[in-house]
Amino acid sequence: AWVGAGKLSGIGITGIGVYLPEERFTAAQIAEASGLPEWVVRDKLGISSKPVPGPADQPTQMGVRAAARALEEAGLNAGDVDVVISITEEYKEYPVWTAGIKLAYDLGASNAWAYDVGQKCGTSVLALKQARDLLRADPYVNTVLVAGGYRNGDLIDYRDGNVRFMYNL
């Protein structure tokens, strides 16, 4: 999650927050699930381990946790946020909904309006550009929060050799 703020002192990122699930899936576990030798997973695919979301690690909740840390680092309260841009991927808690609204609500950003950006690998870059442009263009927007969660790794079938390039999701 990123918090961008400031018209008086210049526009920039004022806080960054990260949330990673604690559970890990090791190269040995990926090797066992995929049928590949462990050295291939580790040395050829470059995966020694990866985080694995648990049942409480739903995409929007992971975004809320990261956002709270970003706000803390920026020295801001959720009520200071004017806009929430959600970068939660399409694979989320519900198939058709705006995750940004739920993220803003759960965070307590009651003064913010929210929307989602979904551009696959380009989502974060586009959201940061939009945040900057909102801060420049709208005199009523002083703080933009970009946050989201991701658990597309749930969609990976390790037995399918055609998706090996996606094992690191």
Side-chain angles (χ1 to χ4, degrees), residues 2-3 7 9 19 32 34 40 47 66-67 79-80 88 103-104 131 144-145 149 153 159 161 166:
W2 301 275
V3 178
K7 290 226 187 334
S9 62
Y19 170 78
E32 184 178 331
S34 67
V40 170
I47 304 169
D80 298 325
T88 300
L103 197 153
V144 178
L145 173 70
R159 296 166 298 175
M166 297 172 57

Side-chain angles (χ1 to χ4, degrees), residues 49-145:
S49 71
K50 69 178 205 169
V52 178
D57 294 321
Q58 295 305 312
T60 303
Q61 276 313 114
M62 289 189 281
V64 169
R65 291 178 191 127
R69 293 174 182 170
L71 288 172
E72 183 179 337
E73 182 176 293
L76 298 170
N77 297 311
D80 298 325
V81 177
D82 300 306
V83 180
V84 172
I85 304 174
S86 173
I87 57 173
T88 300
E89 278 287 342
E90 288 86 358
Y91 181 64
K92 46 194 167 194
E93 293 89 334
Y94 302 101
V96 181
W97 78 327
T98 304
I101 295 170
K102 177 68 169 152
L103 197 153
Y105 178 83
D106 286 354
L107 190 61
S110 57
N111 297 319
W113 51 277
Y115 66 96
D116 293 5
V117 174
Q119 294 295 312
K120 305 290 183 263
C121 295
T123 300
S124 296
V125 173
L126 178 59
L128 288 172
K129 180 176 177 5
Q130 288 180 354
R132 183 198 62 193
D133 292 349
L134 281 167
L135 289 163
R136 282 184 174 168
D138 190 332
Y140 299 103
V141 174
N142 294 303
T143 304
V144 178
L145 173 70

